[in-house]
Amino acid sequence: MREEIDIEHRQSVFLAATSHELKTPLTSLRMYVDTLSVREFPAPKRAEILETMSVDLDRLNDLIDRLLQAQKVLTPGTGLPFERTDISEETVRAVSDLAHRIEFAGKHRLNVDTEYGLMALADPRRWQLVVKNLVDNAVKYSPNGGMIDVFLVNRNGKIELTVSDEGQGFTPDEGARIFERFYRIGNEDTRRTQGVGLGLYLVREIVHSMKGTVAAHSQGLGKGSQFIVTIPALKSEQNA
Amino acid sequence: MPERILIVEDEEHIAAGLKLNLEAEGFETFHVADGLKAIAEIRSGKHDLVLLDVMLPGASGFDVCEQIRAEGNHIPILFLTARDSDDARVRGLELGGDDYVTKPFSIRELIVRIRAMFRRSEWYRKAPEQGSALSFGGSKIDLSAYTADTPNGAVTLTQKECMILKLLAEHEGHVVTRDQIIEQVWGYDRYPSTRTIDNLIVRLRKFFEEDPRNPRHLHTVYAAGYKFTQAAVSE
């Protein structure tokens, strides 16, 4: 019963957060459309406003994409069958997709170190989603910037992905709930970040479907965080 | 000297758009993105009005408003938020917000509302023609300090109670409708209900009427509104 009330509460928080996330770029867009329709600006200022509007449109598009992706991942039978996948290659590809945006923002440094040719049975797009959500999470929870490390190694026959940041970290209580659906650190009035509370939940669901595990560690608030995903590697003869 | 507006908003694009438009309208602006910094800025006394988001890092906009009002600070506060439920709106206004605008908003409408708030704030500050002291029925009310000496002792009034008295006193001997009170004292149309006004009048009668059930100064005019008479008049 208590669990039902809890999920109901988190669903309402999710709706509030989604509505807020959609309305924020919409508010900005509406304001700048109004502004451009009634005020004259020199060309450089006008270009700057249009660039701002373009970023808002991207943000809106990105959020809608993520909600649709979540819907797909969470609907049984919609994923591709698992196939032999070069996890090293897919990891580098996923990080490269994000690197431009992260480096453009100029706050974070990305350090990527992957062992070459690690193979596993996986859906490549979903593995990329795992990597992207973890890196996005690291960016989001280190608003003051810093180093984000992505390591991929073979450890005792298992592939281990570690994503760590130097950001806000979390308390043990928060860490215990961090992979729950719609869970977000802080409350809805004093949110520390953008987001709707789906990213890490999706990571856990995808990793579990690959018979893997995921864990989160932090030394405490302000001390950064570390996420470790482990999935079974294909054995060396299968790797050949 | 331009009026100074404190923008409390953690979304940089929205804050920049507000700044751009408000400065083009002749206001001076200052921006913070955090609830705790907002409290410190408001306490500094450098600002004339606050545009306050609700979902903020540090402290929520609701917490900021509650804290500031608890300190007796009456700076006009306009909530500017994506929280559009009736509950959130009522909460914001009950905590002492003066207006509540939901996102996305029309920037032109927002500017009209800000100007109306400044006009109202000016009226709040302006002493009535007869001075800021109002005396009737053995009570003496200080309309600037929101305090009163009554035959039953000293009383501290809320800002809204004081402004209702001020409005009635400005129209001494004439009927003031409930809508006039809402328009002049609150300035927006969805809150409070006219019942809230009636309740506040009942409260004022308890402070200032010898027999609140048979008021001789704060009269109800059936189906019209209220009338204040300085001299005692039986209904």
Side-chain angles (χ1 to χ4, degrees), chain A residues 60-238:
Chain A
L60 208 48
N61 191 46
D62 188 56
L63 176 67
I64 292 166
D65 273 354
R66 276 164 197 272
L67 289 171
L68 291 175
Q69 274 172 353
Q71 175 63 22
K72 277 184 196 158
V73 168
L74 298 174
T75 306
T78 52
L80 293 174
F82 286 175
E83 58 189 54
R84 263 176 67 89
T85 299
D86 187 332
I87 294 294
S88 307
E89 197 180 307
E90 295 303 333
T91 303
V92 170
R93 195 171 285 166
V95 176
S96 304
D97 281 355
L98 299 176
H100 174 71
R101 177 160 56 85
I102 293 170
E103 279 156 14
F104 181 75
K107 279 184 171 177
H108 298 86
R109 283 165 297 142
L110 259 177
N111 175 36
V112 187
D113 189 353
T114 61
E115 208 172 294
Y116 178 74
L118 299 178
M119 306 296 287
L121 280 178
D123 170 347
R125 286 183 313 173
R126 290 188 178 194
W127 177 256
Q128 283 201 25
L129 203 53
V130 168
V131 178
K132 284 181 179 178
N133 276 339
L134 288 176
V135 174
D136 263 347
N137 191 69
V139 171
K140 203 192 292 180
Y141 285 93
S142 50
N144 297 324
M147 181 67 86
I148 293 170
D149 290 301
V150 180
F151 293 132
L152 188 76
V153 293
N154 186 331
R155 201 184 296 282
N156 304 323
K158 289 186 173 172
I159 297 174
E160 189 179 280
L161 169 75
T162 306
V163 178
S164 45
D165 64 68
E166 302 175 324
Q168 295 174 340
F170 46 83
T171 63
D173 280 352
E174 289 169 338
R177 307 190 61 194
I178 214 163
F179 293 104
E180 291 176 16
R181 180 158 43 157
F182 309 142
Y183 182 72
R184 298 175 69 229
I185 290 179
N187 69 44
E188 59 185 306
D189 288 345
T190 58
R191 70 207 183 87
R192 291 187 223 148
T193 63
Q194 296 168 3
V196 296
L198 271 178
L200 293 179
Y201 173 70
L202 283 181
V203 167
R204 186 185 69 174
E205 291 302 297
I206 295 171
V207 170
H208 282 180
S209 75
M210 299 168 76
K211 303 196 181 341
T213 60
V214 57
H217 306 284
S218 173
Q219 297 298 315
L221 289 178
K223 295 185 176 168
S225 55
Q226 187 182 50
F227 290 81
I228 302 175
V229 170
T230 308
I231 55 168
L234 287 177
K235 288 185 183 142
S236 50
E237 61 270 23
Q238 292 168 290

Side-chain angles (χ1 to χ4, degrees), chain B residues 87 108 141 149 193:
Chain B
D87 283 354
R108 280 170 282 189
I141 298 140
D149 285 322
S193 65

Side-chain angles (χ1 to χ4, degrees), chain A residues 26-43:
Chain A
L26 276 178
T27 299
S28 177
L29 283 166
R30 169 151 196 208
M31 181 162 49
Y32 285 114
V33 167
D34 280 358
T35 304
L36 288 176
S37 67
V38 296
R39 299 189 198 284
E40 296 289 334
F41 294 101

